Amino acid sequence: MRTVTKVLTASALSLALLTFSGCGQKPEPVGGATGDVVAQPFAEVTKINGQIFGTFYYITVPGGYPGGEDTLRSDAQFVFTKVGNAISTFDPSAEIARFNEHHSTGDFPISSYLANVIEEVQRQSRRIGMAMDPTVGPLVNLWGFGPKGQIEHSPTDEQVAETKEYVGLDKFSLRRAGGTAFLVKSDPRVELDLSTIGEGLAADELAALMDRKGIANYMIAIAGAIRSKGANPEGKLWRVGIEDPLSHGQKVFAAVCPQGMAISTAGSYRNFFVDDETNQFYSHVIDPETGRPIAHRTVSVSVVDRAALVTDALDTGLLVWGAQKAVDWGNKNDVAVYAIEIDDKGQAKETHSRAFDIYLKCKVHQNLTQTAPLE
Ligand code: ADP
Ligand code: MG
């Protein structure tokens, strides 16, 4: 057995991989930044921030939120509670936490809301060959990144192989009967871990709530998952920064204008440990195929798509695949993918799919369609 030193960077709790204009860090100018004015500057702006799901959120509403900061805060809290009640693995009363404790192959009834979320996650998982897999929880725990706490020794090959026996999309099923939805495990040890999509789901929910209220301009950033619409406080397109993975949160690597679409980033460089003996780097992102943390040189993958639940599901799986395969998949499937890897000289280097180009241009683009997220 090898001993491992856990190196959780100071910001293990802060997984904000994306920064954005108006909230601290200034994105560097990108080429062709003309044509990004979409409104007059706003005299009134409502802003809140706080902590949720062990990470940070920032919400900005140019033009002001009806009811002001207090109403915005209570609307955000309503959404966080709804999402947490469904998918938390840390709150023992949450639906997923209770399902994980249900060590049985008998039917487990769930809300239709959670059923819709799981169906969408299954769909996204299949699109990328299950590289993002919601049943990966036991492996996450085995490697010391889950609710069961950190590890002192890396697991043995036997432990990895044994745990893999009950990891896989085919190890549980979702069934609907007479208006009720049920989850069924094929092995009583199966557990679900939807934490990688929690931030995206919450961002979508809050965006949907704001859309229903008729709010034309907003930026909702929940750690690395962002929904934005309309204009920023200066009346320009919102800009989101993809963080330079080598800068410890200090520098923006690329500025992106998502133009009403969702964007999220998965990164392997914030939460990891280094093996004492081998100097091997182990990330909190697990490759479900090997049962081991990814250990390649791709350190972040960002995706732009119609909903943050979708981007948040895809970015994790595409990070598992690594830059080349991720960007090839993006080109083949017309999905906007942006990957950063560290080259032999220790330099950060990007590759992106063709569909990502328009988001790097920061000029108003008319033809983007945004599908409504899950209700
Ligand atoms: P990041 O945005 O830095 O990727 P997230 O919190 O969104 O961080 O996702 C990482 C979490 O997702 C891990 O801590 C683990 O719980 C879970 N996870 C790790 N690997 C996978 C995977 N292959 N598929 C699904 N979930 C995963
Ligand atoms: Mg994610």
Side-chain angles (χ1 to χ4, degrees), residues 134-202:
T135 67
V136 84
L139 287 168
V140 172
N141 274 321
L142 185 69
W143 285 94
F145 294 110
K148 299 207 170 118
Q150 300 184 4
I151 51 169
E152 280 172 15
H153 302 285
S154 56
T156 62
D157 291 351
E158 291 73 30
Q159 285 174 307
V160 171
E162 198 210 323
T163 308
K164 274 185 69 188
E165 281 170 20
Y166 49 97
V167 169
L169 216 54
D170 58 340
K171 300 292 190 295
F172 79 99
S173 55
L174 175 65
R175 196 164 56 77
R176 294 182 192 259
T180 310
F182 301 93
L183 286 176
V184 186
K185 302 182 182 190
S186 70
D187 179 312
R189 296 172 296 176
V190 168
E191 289 181 19
L192 288 183
D193 176 357
L194 298 181
S195 55
T196 195
I197 58 96
E199 295 136 7
L201 176 61

Side-chain angles (χ1 to χ4, degrees), residues 195-197 199 264-266 311-313 315-316:
S195 55
T196 195
I197 58 96
E199 295 136 7
S264 69
T265 298
T311 64
D312 219 358
D315 64 13
T316 306

Side-chain angles (χ1 to χ4, degrees), residues 49-190:
N49 62 68
Q51 273 183 278
I52 188 66
F53 309 142
T55 184
F56 294 91
Y57 72 87
Y58 301 86
I59 303 166
T60 306
V61 184
Y65 200 71
E69 244 181 65
D70 290 347
T71 310
L72 178 53
R73 205 171 282 285
S74 68
D75 284 354
Q77 197 50 55
F78 169 81
V79 163
F80 298 153
T81 303
K82 179 179 175 186
V83 171
N85 285 345
I87 71 159
S88 177
T89 46
F90 290 88
D91 170 4
S93 65
E95 288 189 87
I96 288 289
R98 286 190 292 107
F99 174 68
N100 289 347
E101 283 304 310
H102 170 76
H103 301 292
S104 151
T105 54
D107 284 359
F108 185 87
I110 55 166
S111 63
S112 68
Y113 173 64
L114 180 58
N116 292 346
V117 171
I118 291 174
E119 269 167 3
E120 182 67 30
V121 170
Q122 286 173 316
R123 245 192 314 275
Q124 299 309 324
S125 176
R126 289 194 191 99
R127 285 177 82 191
I128 48 171
M130 282 80 86
M132 180 281 299
D133 185 331
T135 67
V136 84
L139 287 168
V140 172
N141 274 321
L142 185 69
W143 285 94
F145 294 110
K148 299 207 170 118
Q150 300 184 4
I151 51 169
E152 280 172 15
H153 302 285
S154 56
T156 62
D157 291 351
E158 291 73 30
Q159 285 174 307
V160 171
E162 198 210 323
T163 308
K164 274 185 69 188
E165 281 170 20
Y166 49 97
V167 169
L169 216 54
D170 58 340
K171 300 292 190 295
F172 79 99
S173 55
L174 175 65
R175 196 164 56 77
R176 294 182 192 259
T180 310
F182 301 93
L183 286 176
V184 186
K185 302 182 182 190
S186 70
D187 179 312
R189 296 172 296 176
V190 168

Side-chain angles (χ1 to χ4, degrees), residues 19-73:
T19 56
F20 36 88
S21 56
C23 263
Q25 302 181 28
K26 267 205 167 27
E28 291 158 349
V30 285
T34 51
D36 66 340
V37 175
V38 285
Q40 293 293 317
F42 293 91
E44 196 194 342
V45 179
T46 308
K47 268 186 182 187
I48 62 166
N49 62 68
Q51 273 183 278
I52 188 66
F53 309 142
T55 184
F56 294 91
Y57 72 87
Y58 301 86
I59 303 166
T60 306
V61 184
Y65 200 71
E69 244 181 65
D70 290 347
T71 310
L72 178 53
R73 205 171 282 285

